[in-house]
Amino acid sequence: METGTGGGTNADDRPVPDGSRGGPSADRPDGGAEAEQGEHGAGAGQGVTSDDGGAPADGAADADARTDTELQPQTQAQAQPQPQPQPQAQADERKDRPAEVGSGWRGRHPVAARVVRHGATTLAVLLVLAALLLPNKAGHLTAPVFLRLPGEGIWVVAALLVLGPGRTGRARRLVPAIAGTALGLMVVLKLLDIGFNAIYKRPFDLVLDWILLDDGQSFLRDSMGPAGAIGVVIAVVVLVILLIVLMAWAAVRLNRVLAEHGAAAATGTLVLGTVWVVCAALGVRNTVVPVASGSSAEFLQDRVQQVHAGLRDKEEFARESADDDFADVPADRLLTGLRGKDVLFAFIESYGRSAVQDPEMGPQVSALLADGDRRLRAAGWSSRSAFLTSPTYGGGSWLAHSTFNSGLWIKNQQRYRNLTSGDRMTLTSAFRKTGAWRTVGIMPGITRSWPEGKFYGLDHVYDSRTMGYKGPKFSWTPVPDQYSLSAFERLEHGKPGRGPMMAEIILTSSHNPWAPIPRTLGWDEIGDGSVYDAVKEEGKDPEEVWKDPAQVRTEYRRSIEYSLTSLITYVEKYGDENTVLVFLGDHQPVSTVTEDKLGRDVPVTILARDPAVLDRVSGWGWHPGLKPGPDAPVWRMDAFRDRFLAAYGDRPGAATAATAR
């Protein structure tokens, strides 16, 4: 380190003063040997002269002086003038001084910088609190829910304080970022739960429900078009990434604040932890919710249990599938009570208990059913109705179809895949097993290959591509219900000389979003469906309908009325003494329509002109007519297969076994 100016002596070439003069002192704050050496140079220089005989040394020595310095290092060292501040000392001094005005944005605008800094910290706190307190049901999104103490946040802060926030080390730097990322992922999962609870009345299943996201994207594409669907998907992905990044930033920001205010943070954490424990022990509540919140911990625990349950469900379902009372029944003893009949099973999309019992919608739908019942009875038809409890809600129609057909509770996609990859006898395949019926499927909602048709024992499946439809789509619905029934009559049921048939018919015009809705036409007007181009133009825009829940409920009701009218008028026109119709809903509509009332039940009705058909089910206690009353029997949907096969089969003891389920 250089001392003096110009050609001063380099300190590295001089011996270090002895300990009595240059050793560090415990009483001096600097304690540095280099600083001490500078002080010695200033004091000793007063008694030193230059070679010319008396002039004080001024630090601008010539070459001879430098030579003397080399020969007499100690004397020259004492002759050095007052040293300039050394670089390290200058750096320390600059470090201790406040930033000079104009040294940066913060220096030029200190007030604004403080506002931004405190605002960022406040935002980080709010983000973390909101994430920890966010419920996973839309109905729980109330102000009191967010005015609680999250125990998880208190314990995480305590853990960070133990780790030492702000210290060096990769682990201590990564812990807040990892914790924030995990918190962001938890928020995404909670938001998925909110959506699934609103539509399906259950949380998102981490093991089994990912395929439903693809189905949702298909629904968007059908409802909004490819461009709109892609836009929604991109927006969702961007929002998810932004949310995770924000939560990670919030955690890192709060960890930095903890590092700057460690003592205050420790005290605050201790106080809040004590308050949380006391509130939890005493059960203190903030209106309707506990002040001491542990909801996020409970949420994560539920998800872990859900994953374990999903992994165990495969083995449980295998045991249930192996238990089949009808697997070994000979073909000649199956469905003997229906031989020679045309048996039609028709599912009406989203036809739930709300359609017939909701105070707002029920009167209109009930009036339509009563009028249809009156006309059919006048033509010699009889009917019986009840309720079935669906395994799904708001969507997932295929789960209901497979439950009804298989006699097993198909509550998730894993069960559906396992069922359709096996050889379980379904209600429809039982008809094929007898060899007494031709079995067909009318599936207007299917737009691509459907290998499950073989599992269901269907000789032929007509989908939206093979029904000859030349008209437009009605939002999600590829083919209007009345056209589907008309195509069934043209392609199968109305063919001369045919034998008995069993048909599974899926009616889809009452599928969400319920706009636009086709109108009922004369059966001779339908043709190839081109007439529906003008009909669609008369319908409503689904985006406008969904801006108002009241309109959604109205259009839902109108869609159910359309589907029921199509089915009833088809039976009136094309049914005969050999026609047996079983029609039912697959599930309740979404909560926007049901307002979370009336559960998961769907109406089911058996309609026939031959009195012997209904005599077989007289012991079921179902209500007469097309509409079940409020106190009509309620079965689980998976009970129907066995009871139906027992009622119409020729197997001793089967009816008793089925009734016991």
Side-chain angles (χ1 to χ4, degrees):
M1 184 176 297
E2 294 182 354
T3 58
T5 60
T9 305
N10 191 306
D12 292 337
D13 297 330
R14 292 181 282 104
V16 178
D18 60 30
S20 62
R21 303 267 312 188
S25 173
D27 296 333
R28 290 195 301 262
D30 54 2
E34 294 175 342
E36 173 99 353
Q37 183 176 348
E39 294 178 3
H40 284 284
Q46 297 177 1
V48 178
T49 60
S50 62
D51 293 342
D52 60 2
D58 59 0
D62 55 13
D64 293 338
R66 285 196 298 271
T67 303
D68 293 341
T69 300
E70 293 173 0
L71 296 176
Q72 299 178 356
Q74 180 63 34
T75 302
Q76 181 65 26
Q78 293 175 350
Q80 296 302 313
Q82 175 69 35
Q84 296 296 317
Q86 301 180 17
Q88 182 62 43
Q90 292 173 344
D92 293 341
E93 183 179 355
R94 286 194 302 268
K95 179 179 178 181
D96 295 335
R97 290 199 309 268
E100 297 179 1
V101 175
S103 62
W105 180 85
R106 291 181 177 84
R108 294 192 301 271
H109 308 282
V111 175
R114 284 195 298 272
V115 170
V116 170
R117 184 170 63 253
H118 295 320
T121 301
T122 302
L123 177 61
V125 171
L126 292 177
L127 284 172
V128 171
L129 286 176
L132 292 172
L133 296 173
L134 179 70
N136 67 337
K137 292 184 179 180
H140 296 171
L141 288 169
T142 59
V145 169
F146 295 97
L147 300 176
R148 298 184 293 164
L149 288 176
E152 305 88 354
I154 296 172
W155 314 136
V156 169
V157 169
L160 289 175
L161 290 171
V162 170
L163 285 175
R167 294 183 186 176
T168 58
R170 179 174 298 177
R172 291 186 178 91
R173 292 196 303 270
L174 289 179
V175 165
I178 294 174
T181 302
L183 193 58
L185 292 173
M186 185 182 72
V187 172
V188 172
L189 186 54
K190 285 184 176 182
L191 293 176
L192 282 171
D193 273 6
I194 290 174
F196 269 67
N197 278 312
I199 297 174
Y200 300 114
K201 305 304 296 179
R202 63 175 178 82
F204 178 78
D205 193 314
L206 279 167
V207 177
L208 308 172
D209 281 343
W210 294 106
I211 191 173
L212 297 181
L213 299 182
D214 179 64
D215 293 328
Q217 197 272 340
S218 298
F219 171 76
L220 289 174
R221 184 174 60 251
D222 293 335
S223 301
M224 306 173 59
I230 293 173
V232 170
V233 171
I234 292 175
V236 169
V237 171
V238 170
L239 287 175
V240 168
I241 294 174
L242 181 62
L243 178 60
I244 294 174
V245 170
L246 275 176
M247 296 310 306
W249 166 82
V252 171
R253 174 71 187 178
L254 293 181
N255 184 61
R256 187 179 301 123
V257 173
L258 293 178
E260 295 172 355
H261 308 281
T267 302
T269 302
L270 179 61
V271 171
L272 291 177
T274 303
V275 172
W276 189 94
V277 171
V278 171
C279 289
L282 298 179
V284 179
R285 303 182 72 83
N286 175 7
T287 62
V288 296
V289 291
V291 171
S293 169
S295 57
S296 289
E298 295 172 1
F299 172 81
L300 294 176
Q301 183 180 9
D302 289 343
R303 294 289 80 77
V304 171
Q305 293 175 351
Q306 182 191 65
V307 170
H308 288 166
L311 297 175
R312 291 194 306 267
D313 187 64
K314 185 176 182 179
E315 289 74 20
E316 180 182 341
F317 182 71
R319 291 191 298 270
E320 294 175 4
S321 301
D323 182 16
D324 187 355
D325 292 334
F326 292 88
D328 299 324
V329 175
D332 60 353
R333 299 177 66 180
L334 283 172
L335 300 165
T336 54
L338 293 173
R339 298 298 170 102
K341 304 295 184 184
D342 295 325
V343 183
L344 314 179
F345 296 100
F347 285 90
I348 299 177
E349 173 69 34
S350 301
Y351 178 41
R353 183 188 279 261
S354 296
V356 297
Q357 288 189 3
D358 181 89
E360 182 180 338
M361 299 176 289
Q364 295 93 322
V365 176
S366 297
L368 184 150
L369 291 172
D371 181 65
D373 188 55
R374 178 187 55 78
R375 300 198 312 268
L376 289 170
R377 280 190 290 106
W381 296 84
S382 298
S383 56
R384 298 289 185 272
S385 299
F387 290 105
L388 300 178
T389 302
S390 175
T392 186
Y393 187 105
S397 303
W398 60 94
L399 302 180
H401 301 165
S402 55
T403 295
F404 178 84
N405 260 299
S406 69
L408 296 170
W409 193 246
I410 311 301
K411 62 182 179 179
N412 56 52
Q413 191 65 21
Q414 177 176 269
R415 287 190 166 213
Y416 179 78
R417 288 195 300 264
N418 292 340
L419 171 70
T420 54
S421 62
D423 58 358
R424 171 89 172 184
M425 185 181 74
T426 64
L427 189 57
T428 49
S429 63
F431 282 86
R432 186 180 185 184
K433 181 179 179 180
T434 65
W437 282 273
R438 171 171 167 78
T439 58
V440 299
I442 304 297
M443 310 288 180
I446 294 177
T447 58
R448 49 193 174 190
S449 61
W450 190 58
E452 290 91 336
K454 294 181 179 179
F455 165 75
Y456 285 113
L458 299 176
D459 294 321
H460 190 81
V461 173
Y462 296 93
D463 60 26
S464 61
R465 303 165 298 175
T466 58
M467 294 169 63
Y469 182 63
K470 303 299 183 182
K473 289 179 62 176
F474 284 78
S475 188
W476 182 88
T477 307
V479 182
D481 288 349
Q482 192 178 10
Y483 181 90
S484 296
L485 293 168
S486 176
F488 169 61
E489 183 65 23
R490 182 183 73 252
L491 297 169
E492 289 285 348
H493 187 261
K495 285 185 175 180
R498 63 167 180 81
M501 71 168 42
M502 188 285 304
E504 183 174 5
I505 303 171
I506 311 299
L507 301 179
T508 61
S509 290
S510 52
H511 194 289
N512 183 340
W514 307 303
I517 302 170
R519 59 178 171 85
T520 304
L521 304 174
W523 288 96
D524 56 352
E525 298 178 51
I526 296 174
D528 63 0
S530 300
V531 66
Y532 286 104
D533 287 322
V535 174
K536 182 178 180 180
E537 294 300 321
E538 302 170 0
K540 296 185 178 181
D541 183 349
E543 293 185 8
E544 292 299 320
V545 168
W546 277 85
K547 292 178 180 179
D548 181 5
Q551 283 198 59
V552 173
R553 290 164 59 81
T554 297
E555 296 308 303
Y556 163 76
R557 172 184 58 78
R558 293 182 60 240
S559 72
I560 293 295
E561 291 173 338
Y562 168 77
S563 297
L564 288 171
T565 299
S566 298
L567 193 58
I568 292 171
T569 57
Y570 174 83
V571 171
E572 286 183 295
K573 184 172 181 62
Y574 299 111
D576 57 30
E577 63 277 0
N578 288 324
T579 302
V580 177
L581 171 64
V582 179
F583 71 91
L584 68 153
D586 48 12
H587 53 70
Q588 283 266 60
V590 296
S591 297
T592 305
V593 175
T594 65
E595 297 179 340
D596 296 332
K597 300 174 183 176
L598 300 174
R600 295 184 172 215
D601 297 341
V602 299
V604 58
T605 298
I606 297 180
L607 177 69
R609 185 177 286 182
D610 185 352
V613 173
L614 295 184
D615 288 344
R616 290 248 182 176
V617 297
S618 59
W620 287 1
W622 287 20
H623 287 189
L626 300 179
K627 175 196 170 184
D631 57 344
V634 180
W635 301 349
R636 283 205 346 172
M637 192 175 283
D638 57 343
F640 185 86
R641 187 205 74 154
D642 286 7
R643 293 187 178 186
F644 188 89
L645 292 175
Y648 292 104
D650 186 22
R651 175 174 177 264
T656 303
T659 304
R661 288 191 57 148

